[in-house]
Amino acid sequence: MRILVTGGAGFIGGHLAERFTVEGHDVTVIDNFDPFYDVRIKEHTVEQCRNVASEDDGTYQLVKGDIRDAELVSELVAETDVVYHQAAQAGVRQSVENPRKYDDVNVDGTLNVLDAARSTDVDRVVLASSSSVYGKPQYLPYDEDHPTTPVSPYGASKLAAERYAMAYNEVYDLPAVALRYFTVYGPRMRPNMAISNFVSRCVNGNSPVVYGDGTQTRDFTYIDDIVAANQTLLTTDAADGEVMNVGSTDNIEIRTLAEEVLAQLAPELELEFDDRHDADADHTHADIEKASDLLDYAPTYTIREGVEQFIEWYQDNRDWYESLVLSS
């Protein structure tokens, strides 16, 4: 099968591209290598995917380009069976500083992908959305009927993107699915995320820094579970026209997470605290009943198991990854 992964050199997109290549698909990736974080992580991802392609039956092609380039997007989508639209301007806090860029990339860029897809005969567009669309919780866990009242421009842009995808499904009969990811982590994750920061600081004898009092909770989802949900959508139309949560259902206080990392790596250290950012969500917790019903989705990692996996990977890849984490 011919698969296009937008943002395919990024964290989630890179893992999707790698898995699809291993499975023997013909994978094309478009990524603009935006320097939101050190692009050497993306370069490492591309190298990994190329190595996989040389060893397996799948093919891998990298196109350095931007989803805001409508002509380029149209050319790539025209040669594709399934589009995994992962490209986005990430960063909740940064979106407060520059909201128009988030609209430009996450909304207009998504429209380019959707317009190209409805003009061809693609089997499906799978859109990466976010738990940030929910905003302040009225109840937990979030199910898909929970009001969507995002508190950051990033969350607003992801909500707009998924609403467009659902509208295109309805009006143009474009098969589209939106997956609301809940705080994804794992190998090659963005270096300025809580887990990577906690681990890197502990490994180097520095106390983890918790923003706020640490009572905020997150539903952290290990990357392999995210990949599994996306894989299912290669072969089923059961979720076309639907938005659904993809999480772990296993939420944890940020403070407790930091203490877990401390216990594993540096039990002699103590936590440090700093001011919390206003755009950060108080809590996230996913109800995954819908994804379970439609995709037979079942997360396989608890947060503690996933953190153990990430620590093992971090220590194996410390030489190249650590300098990027510490400089972010």
Side-chain angles (χ1 to χ4, degrees), residues 124 177 231-240 294-295:
R124 185 164 299 104
V177 181
Q231 278 183 287
T232 304
L233 290 167
L234 273 179
T235 56
T236 181
D237 61 3
D240 287 352
L294 295 178
L295 303 181

Side-chain angles (χ1 to χ4, degrees), residues 38 40 314 318-328:
D38 198 311
R40 286 176 291 176
Y314 186 102
R318 186 175 175 182
D319 287 347
W320 71 269
Y321 183 72
E322 185 170 272
S323 63
L324 309 183
V325 177
L326 296 177
S327 65
S328 66

